[in-house]
Amino acid sequence: MSTPVLYEASHDFDIAWVRKQFPSLQLQVNGQPAAFLDGPAGTQVPRQVMDAVQKYFLEANANTYGAFLTSRRTNEVIAAARAAMADLFHCAPDEVVFGQNMTTITLGLSRAIARELQPGDEILLTTLDHDANFSPWAALAEKGVVIRKVDIRESDCTLDLDDLKSKLNEKTKLVAVGYASNAVGSINPVAEIIKIAHAARALCFIDAVHYAPHGPIDVKALDCDFLVCSPYKFFGPHMGTLYGKKHLLEKFTPYKVRPATDTVPERWETGTQVQELIPGILAAVEYIAELGRRCDPSVKGRREALLAAYRSSVAYERALVTRLIEGLLAVPGLRFFGITDPKRFEERCSTVAFRLAKGTPTAAAKFLGDRGIFSWDGNFYALNLAERLGVEQHGGVLRVGLVHYNTADEVDRLLAALREFASL
Ligand SMILES: Cc1ncc(COP(=O)(O)O)c(C=O)c1O
């Protein structure tokens, strides 16, 4: 593990350096090193993020827009974090909104958009999505908005685009779709979906919470109207962020208190933010950029560095997930949900879901947890999907998520433990 591993001709991915940045990866459980395969529910954070939060408390802790030093520093760090997220999204800083988490942001935005909707207007949602990209929109049925749900192809747990097209019509006002599934790892063809939605004059809202640690986001190229992701899934603190096209952040009216500013983007940031965590978002983006500069020293500027980091980590994660899926498919009686053909791995990220022939997902997660291997069992709020796959009544699935700090050793340990569990 000490020498850099070459995964692509021009990109070094130095896993030893990566792991050194994450102090919590040193945790031991029952004498075994912890294997954090729980990334889809939240990743570990690099030292830079912890330091940034502590520095804020030491040197800048205040509310915004006061006439004194710490308040000015708070304004500055929020502006710097907005600029960093703008580089991550590829947008302008005033198109970046901070919030408590994706769910809270989406509940606020959906209610604001609802102000403009009429009974009979339609919204298109999907079976594949996390419930945070379903229920906030589905609640608008109270106003007479018609909710339609796009199905999946059960054989590989991907979105059925024919079904999507057939459910879109001139009454559709919004299509809300995930970039990648937090349960089964499928990556949706969002660029194509956005084009289809726009051709029908519908807005498109993308939930990129699960995608953000696994691939680069380019809202400009996508031309999406809104996109959300949560920094705690990409090595940052527990918060949410929203990209919105500026004219839409101006057009829709948020529910807000009167003295709060009405300027974009702050009009969407209800109440006092978790200011101490905002420097952590900046540090998380800076960490990814630093990784990118190490992978490709020729990059210029932060956006290019971010893209270089993703290029290398996508290749690294691809190798890991290939090893993982090959091993899982060899476990007797294992039922796998999602894409298994390596030729199609561009359509998936390194999150996998499965059930074992014997024992519940909870029992398997506990067995693994006792051996220091952290995984998740259940539906992970992808409730429609768990119901559609017929596993909701049976404890859901076991989910393993690999991110760029995981290793082939951890994959092998997981596979050995699963084989042991399956043979009990
Ligand atoms: C795909 C997806 N969307 C939305 C959410 C909700 O995000 P938050 O916890 O920031 O509300 C999650 C959380 O797991 C998720 O995985």
Side-chain angles (χ1 to χ4, degrees), residues 40 101-103 130 132 180 182 207 209-210 230 232-233:
N101 48 54
M102 176 276 185
T103 307
H130 187 286
N182 69 313
D207 172 3
V209 172
H210 191 68
S230 300
Y232 76 93
K233 311 279 192 183

PDB file of all heavy atoms in Angstrom, residues 40 101-103 130 132 180 182 207 209-210 230 232-233, ligand 1:
ATOM      1  N   PRO A  40     -22.016   5.418   1.602  1.00  0.00           N
ATOM      2  CA  PRO A  40     -23.271   5.978   1.079  1.00  0.00           C
ATOM      3  C   PRO A  40     -24.122   6.680   2.148  1.00  0.00           C
ATOM      4  O   PRO A  40     -24.966   7.514   1.821  1.00  0.00           O
ATOM      5  CB  PRO A  40     -24.001   4.744   0.530  1.00  0.00           C
ATOM      6  CG  PRO A  40     -22.900   3.804   0.174  1.00  0.00           C
ATOM      7  CD  PRO A  40     -21.836   4.008   1.226  1.00  0.00           C
ATOM      8  N   ASN A 101     -29.493  20.141   5.165  1.00  0.00           N
ATOM      9  CA  ASN A 101     -29.240  18.864   4.476  1.00  0.00           C
ATOM     10  C   ASN A 101     -30.083  18.871   3.207  1.00  0.00           C
ATOM     11  O   ASN A 101     -30.893  19.779   3.003  1.00  0.00           O
ATOM     12  CB  ASN A 101     -29.594  17.659   5.364  1.00  0.00           C
ATOM     13  CG  ASN A 101     -30.963  17.815   5.994  1.00  0.00           C
ATOM     14  OD1 ASN A 101     -31.947  18.031   5.290  1.00  0.00           O
ATOM     15  ND2 ASN A 101     -31.036  17.734   7.299  1.00  0.00           N
ATOM     16  N   MET A 102     -29.900  17.863   2.362  1.00  0.00           N
ATOM     17  CA  MET A 102     -30.640  17.840   1.095  1.00  0.00           C
ATOM     18  C   MET A 102     -32.145  17.783   1.341  1.00  0.00           C
ATOM     19  O   MET A 102     -32.934  18.411   0.633  1.00  0.00           O
ATOM     20  CB  MET A 102     -30.168  16.633   0.273  1.00  0.00           C
ATOM     21  CG  MET A 102     -30.900  16.421  -1.033  1.00  0.00           C
ATOM     22  SD  MET A 102     -32.453  15.504  -0.782  1.00  0.00           S
ATOM     23  CE  MET A 102     -33.005  15.280  -2.440  1.00  0.00           C
ATOM     24  N   THR A 103     -32.568  17.000   2.326  1.00  0.00           N
ATOM     25  CA  THR A 103     -34.002  16.812   2.554  1.00  0.00           C
ATOM     26  C   THR A 103     -34.668  18.146   2.906  1.00  0.00           C
ATOM     27  O   THR A 103     -35.720  18.495   2.352  1.00  0.00           O
ATOM     28  CB  THR A 103     -34.230  15.783   3.690  1.00  0.00           C
ATOM     29  OG1 THR A 103     -33.504  14.599   3.378  1.00  0.00           O
ATOM     30  CG2 THR A 103     -35.698  15.463   3.866  1.00  0.00           C
ATOM     31  N   HIS A 130     -34.155   7.997  -3.754  1.00  0.00           N
ATOM     32  CA  HIS A 130     -34.247   8.174  -2.298  1.00  0.00           C
ATOM     33  C   HIS A 130     -35.542   8.930  -2.006  1.00  0.00           C
ATOM     34  O   HIS A 130     -35.953   9.788  -2.791  1.00  0.00           O
ATOM     35  CB  HIS A 130     -33.030   8.997  -1.858  1.00  0.00           C
ATOM     36  CG  HIS A 130     -32.846   9.150  -0.397  1.00  0.00           C
ATOM     37  ND1 HIS A 130     -33.635   9.969   0.374  1.00  0.00           N
ATOM     38  CD2 HIS A 130     -31.936   8.603   0.462  1.00  0.00           C
ATOM     39  CE1 HIS A 130     -33.216   9.931   1.638  1.00  0.00           C
ATOM     40  NE2 HIS A 130     -32.185   9.101   1.712  1.00  0.00           N
ATOM     41  N   ALA A 132     -36.152  11.310  -0.199  1.00  0.00           N
ATOM     42  CA  ALA A 132     -36.006  12.762  -0.096  1.00  0.00           C
ATOM     43  C   ALA A 132     -36.199  13.437  -1.450  1.00  0.00           C
ATOM     44  O   ALA A 132     -36.400  14.649  -1.520  1.00  0.00           O
ATOM     45  CB  ALA A 132     -34.629  13.119   0.465  1.00  0.00           C
ATOM     46  N   ALA A 180     -27.493   9.235  -9.177  1.00  0.00           N
ATOM     47  CA  ALA A 180     -27.097   7.832  -8.949  1.00  0.00           C
ATOM     48  C   ALA A 180     -27.910   7.288  -7.786  1.00  0.00           C
ATOM     49  O   ALA A 180     -28.241   8.028  -6.851  1.00  0.00           O
ATOM     50  CB  ALA A 180     -25.608   7.757  -8.635  1.00  0.00           C
ATOM     51  N   ASN A 182     -28.672   5.549  -4.395  1.00  0.00           N
ATOM     52  CA  ASN A 182     -27.937   5.300  -3.149  1.00  0.00           C
ATOM     53  C   ASN A 182     -28.121   3.866  -2.664  1.00  0.00           C
ATOM     54  O   ASN A 182     -27.475   3.451  -1.716  1.00  0.00           O
ATOM     55  CB  ASN A 182     -28.385   6.261  -2.050  1.00  0.00           C
ATOM     56  CG  ASN A 182     -29.801   5.988  -1.591  1.00  0.00           C
ATOM     57  OD1 ASN A 182     -30.706   5.820  -2.410  1.00  0.00           O
ATOM     58  ND2 ASN A 182     -30.025   5.931  -0.292  1.00  0.00           N
ATOM     59  N   ASP A 207     -31.092  15.045  -7.996  1.00  0.00           N
ATOM     60  CA  ASP A 207     -30.551  14.688  -6.683  1.00  0.00           C
ATOM     61  C   ASP A 207     -29.196  14.022  -6.910  1.00  0.00           C
ATOM     62  O   ASP A 207     -29.123  12.850  -7.284  1.00  0.00           O
ATOM     63  CB  ASP A 207     -31.522  13.741  -5.967  1.00  0.00           C
ATOM     64  CG  ASP A 207     -30.922  13.181  -4.676  1.00  0.00           C
ATOM     65  OD1 ASP A 207     -29.794  13.580  -4.321  1.00  0.00           O
ATOM     66  OD2 ASP A 207     -31.586  12.337  -4.041  1.00  0.00           O
ATOM     67  N   VAL A 209     -26.922  13.645  -4.542  1.00  0.00           N
ATOM     68  CA  VAL A 209     -26.331  13.325  -3.229  1.00  0.00           C
ATOM     69  C   VAL A 209     -25.458  12.077  -3.322  1.00  0.00           C
ATOM     70  O   VAL A 209     -24.334  12.050  -2.828  1.00  0.00           O
ATOM     71  CB  VAL A 209     -27.428  13.135  -2.156  1.00  0.00           C
ATOM     72  CG1 VAL A 209     -26.826  12.605  -0.854  1.00  0.00           C
ATOM     73  CG2 VAL A 209     -28.152  14.446  -1.893  1.00  0.00           C
ATOM     74  N   HIS A 210     -25.960  11.049  -3.975  1.00  0.00           N
ATOM     75  CA  HIS A 210     -25.165   9.822  -4.010  1.00  0.00           C
ATOM     76  C   HIS A 210     -24.053   9.886  -5.061  1.00  0.00           C
ATOM     77  O   HIS A 210     -23.006   9.239  -4.911  1.00  0.00           O
ATOM     78  CB  HIS A 210     -26.040   8.582  -4.253  1.00  0.00           C
ATOM     79  CG  HIS A 210     -25.258   7.329  -4.020  1.00  0.00           C
ATOM     80  ND1 HIS A 210     -24.815   6.968  -2.770  1.00  0.00           N
ATOM     81  CD2 HIS A 210     -24.758   6.400  -4.864  1.00  0.00           C
ATOM     82  CE1 HIS A 210     -24.098   5.868  -2.852  1.00  0.00           C
ATOM     83  NE2 HIS A 210     -24.046   5.495  -4.122  1.00  0.00           N
ATOM     84  N   SER A 230     -25.002  16.710  -0.794  1.00  0.00           N
ATOM     85  CA  SER A 230     -24.736  16.901   0.638  1.00  0.00           C
ATOM     86  C   SER A 230     -23.260  16.657   0.924  1.00  0.00           C
ATOM     87  O   SER A 230     -22.766  15.540   0.737  1.00  0.00           O
ATOM     88  CB  SER A 230     -25.591  15.937   1.462  1.00  0.00           C
ATOM     89  OG  SER A 230     -26.956  16.180   1.205  1.00  0.00           O
ATOM     90  N   TYR A 232     -21.579  15.951   3.405  1.00  0.00           N
ATOM     91  CA  TYR A 232     -21.156  14.841   4.286  1.00  0.00           C
ATOM     92  C   TYR A 232     -21.035  13.526   3.526  1.00  0.00           C
ATOM     93  O   TYR A 232     -20.512  12.552   4.069  1.00  0.00           O
ATOM     94  CB  TYR A 232     -22.080  14.713   5.491  1.00  0.00           C
ATOM     95  CG  TYR A 232     -23.441  14.086   5.260  1.00  0.00           C
ATOM     96  CD1 TYR A 232     -23.633  12.721   5.454  1.00  0.00           C
ATOM     97  CD2 TYR A 232     -24.523  14.850   4.880  1.00  0.00           C
ATOM     98  CE1 TYR A 232     -24.874  12.142   5.268  1.00  0.00           C
ATOM     99  CE2 TYR A 232     -25.770  14.281   4.681  1.00  0.00           C
ATOM    100  CZ  TYR A 232     -25.938  12.923   4.878  1.00  0.00           C
ATOM    101  OH  TYR A 232     -27.167  12.351   4.690  1.00  0.00           O
ATOM    102  N   LYS A 233     -21.490  13.503   2.268  1.00  0.00           N
ATOM    103  CA  LYS A 233     -21.299  12.301   1.449  1.00  0.00           C
ATOM    104  C   LYS A 233     -20.024  12.405   0.616  1.00  0.00           C
ATOM    105  O   LYS A 233     -19.629  11.457  -0.028  1.00  0.00           O
ATOM    106  CB  LYS A 233     -22.475  12.100   0.493  1.00  0.00           C
ATOM    107  CG  LYS A 233     -23.846  12.185   1.118  1.00  0.00           C
ATOM    108  CD  LYS A 233     -24.262  10.915   1.795  1.00  0.00           C
ATOM    109  CE  LYS A 233     -25.759  10.997   2.124  1.00  0.00           C
ATOM    110  NZ  LYS A 233     -26.257   9.852   2.829  1.00  0.00           N
TER     111      LYS A 233
HETATM  112  C1  LIG B   1     -29.533   9.762  -2.991  1.00  0.00           C
HETATM  113  C2  LIG B   1     -29.861  10.504  -1.727  1.00  0.00           C
HETATM  114  N1  LIG B   1     -30.693  11.551  -1.781  1.00  0.00           N
HETATM  115  C3  LIG B   1     -31.010  12.247  -0.692  1.00  0.00           C
HETATM  116  C4  LIG B   1     -30.509  11.917   0.546  1.00  0.00           C
HETATM  117  C5  LIG B   1     -30.877  12.743   1.721  1.00  0.00           C
HETATM  118  O1  LIG B   1     -29.816  13.598   2.012  1.00  0.00           O
HETATM  119  P1  LIG B   1     -29.735  14.406   3.363  1.00  0.00           P
HETATM  120  O2  LIG B   1     -29.317  13.429   4.426  1.00  0.00           O
HETATM  121  O3  LIG B   1     -28.688  15.441   3.097  1.00  0.00           O
HETATM  122  O4  LIG B   1     -31.066  14.980   3.623  1.00  0.00           O
HETATM  123  C6  LIG B   1     -29.651  10.825   0.669  1.00  0.00           C
HETATM  124  C7  LIG B   1     -29.139  10.419   1.970  1.00  0.00           C
HETATM  125  O5  LIG B   1     -28.731   9.308   2.180  1.00  0.00           O
HETATM  126  C8  LIG B   1     -29.303  10.108  -0.502  1.00  0.00           C
HETATM  127  O6  LIG B   1     -28.468   9.074  -0.462  1.00  0.00           O
END
